[in-house]
Amino acid sequence: MTVLSVWAPAAGRVSVEVAGRGHEMAPGDRSGWWQAELPVSGEIDYAFRLDGGEPLPDPRSPRQPYGPAGASRTYDHSAYAWSDSRWRGAPLAGAVAYELHVGTFTLSGTLDAAIERLDYLAGLGVTTVELMPLAAYPGQHGWGYDGIGLWAVHEPYGGPDALKRFVDAAHARGLAVLLDVVYNHVGPGNQLAAFGPYFTEAHMTPWGPAVNLDQAGSDEVRAFITGNALMWLRDYHIDGLRLDAVHALEDHRALHILEELAATADGFAAASGRPEVLVAESDLNNPRLITSREAGGYGLAAQWDDDFHHALHSAVTGERHGYYGDFGSVAAVAKTMTGAYFHDGTWSSFRGRSHGRPVDTLQVPAYRFVCFIQDHDQVGNRAVGDRIAATLAGNPLRDGLLRVAAGLVLTAPFTPMLFMGEEWGADTPWQFFTDHTDPFFAEAVSTGRKAEFAQHGWGAAEVPDPQDPETFLRSKLDWAQPGREPYRSLLDWYRSLVALRRARPELTDPRLHEVRAAYDEAACWLLISRGPLRIAANLGADPVEIPLGAPAATLLAASNSDISLKSGAISLPPASFAVVGAASGS
């Protein structure tokens, strides 16, 4: 016996079609729900018809073997034999994250192929693997942020069993797994509106009508979202979720959906005995997101810190266009290193208004901010998808600046995150690619991308066509690179920095109010104090001597063999970085 149910409050009649035969569904126990008991067992393909209309996939389909617009398939989560019973999770504090896109991480672009690289990631020293979205979307390849089947794993990646194998294998190597999920919109071509009020025109977002979180019918929409989050944590043993663009979640109810999600995750964590981490992507610079619920916040575990990225990226590359306009100074790097946000109530020229509010550094632990020099957005949303190694290709200080950027990320008081390939200075592009099967959307994304960058002076021929398969293929990592120079030396530098971070408790100390920064804008140097450690960076083209404020010291990490220590000072050649500790016995 198989029981199928669906929420379709506006329908007068609902049937489920199995093997070409329709079965009428009866009203369920809850308002707007329909249910049918079918005399079949095992996996079956099915679709719903509303008032005799076209067959539609289940909004909560656990599997979409024919693509997100095709028939749904039942799936028994209890059938998988897990081997991670001893896994107790990994706390966010002290973590080093690694973001990857399954389709371009390996040549095969599957979850099973990614398993083969887990030993490499464990050897690198990262603790957490963050997977970009896996929800079923049209076509074979894409970034994953236009998911339609939000409860189903994208079949070209291997489907639900492959994700379970990946998580199981990661846990066996001591690696936690976070999954990027998208609740602020659903991809084009979805049929959710046919079933119920999943969207509302009371609020508009960059993707159109907002997901209905606070209008009539929103109770079930919210249950759809919290139930989806719980499914990933419970049925796939995922250790946490990265919530995409939460500033686009328009919710004016007394209980915000983010708070409800955090409570859902905490509830499951209490039952499972392992931590569950919710990380927000937000451009609001609002510490309320990561403030505990007891203190009136939403209770999320962490948020991505774009201000840190903007400050460091612009200081290293010299870029000042768009939202980089307020950044670029050493002072901006120092401010984000000690206060997380640059815009904490200050004027934002990009927005034309003041923005953000200060972080209470006495109360908010530093690990609640995820810092990075690269991520999928900051690379892929550039016109040609150039990574920082390629952006700096014409700079004679390129290699040194890459090491400085890595040093500042991996010794920051925050939770550092690497973007796949960054650790060896991958210079293959990571571009914006799509595989829309609908000709309208395919044409719209191709012409829209070129038009967007034409406004910034890019010629149409210079901007890769997202629909061209070559754009996707160019974006795959070249795993031959880390085995040769100059990539191998940078990889060794990253490994040494991660190892140092794990060896020295000062570098994971969450007390943000105890981090101190000194700098010289004209000389382009920065000195960060973390307890007895001194983190020194020269971002300029001239050698500098930086006073350390301590009479004796030992060099713990040095990006350049010409770095030297003097009594109470350190000499840094151009574009170089060092970590200095108190000498033994001092």
Side-chain angles (χ1 to χ4, degrees), residues 434-447 465-467:
T434 57
D435 187 31
H436 289 295
T437 54
D438 185 304
F440 173 80
F441 294 123
E443 176 63 22
V445 74
S446 292
T447 58
D465 181 358
Q467 283 288 117

Side-chain angles (χ1 to χ4, degrees), residues 10 21 54 75 80 88 131 157 169 195 237 347 354 386 406 412 418 448 454 461:
R21 179 184 173 189
E54 293 296 312
Y75 177 80
Y80 183 84
R88 289 296 175 263
L131 300 173
Y157 291 160
F195 285 90
H237 293 202
W347 175 261
S354 58
D386 51 312
L418 313 180

Side-chain angles (χ1 to χ4, degrees), residues 38-99:
L38 306 178
V40 292
S41 59
E43 291 188 345
I44 61 171
D45 292 347
Y46 66 101
F48 295 119
R49 291 184 184 270
L50 308 179
D51 295 319
E54 293 296 312
L56 300 175
D58 184 355
R60 288 174 170 78
S61 168
R63 191 170 182 190
Q64 288 297 119
Y66 313 108
S72 301
R73 179 173 292 176
T74 57
Y75 177 80
D76 181 6
H77 279 291
S78 67
Y80 183 84
W82 287 93
S83 62
D84 67 346
S85 60
R86 295 186 177 181
W87 174 251
R88 289 296 175 263
L92 181 65
V96 176
Y98 188 95
E99 185 190 23

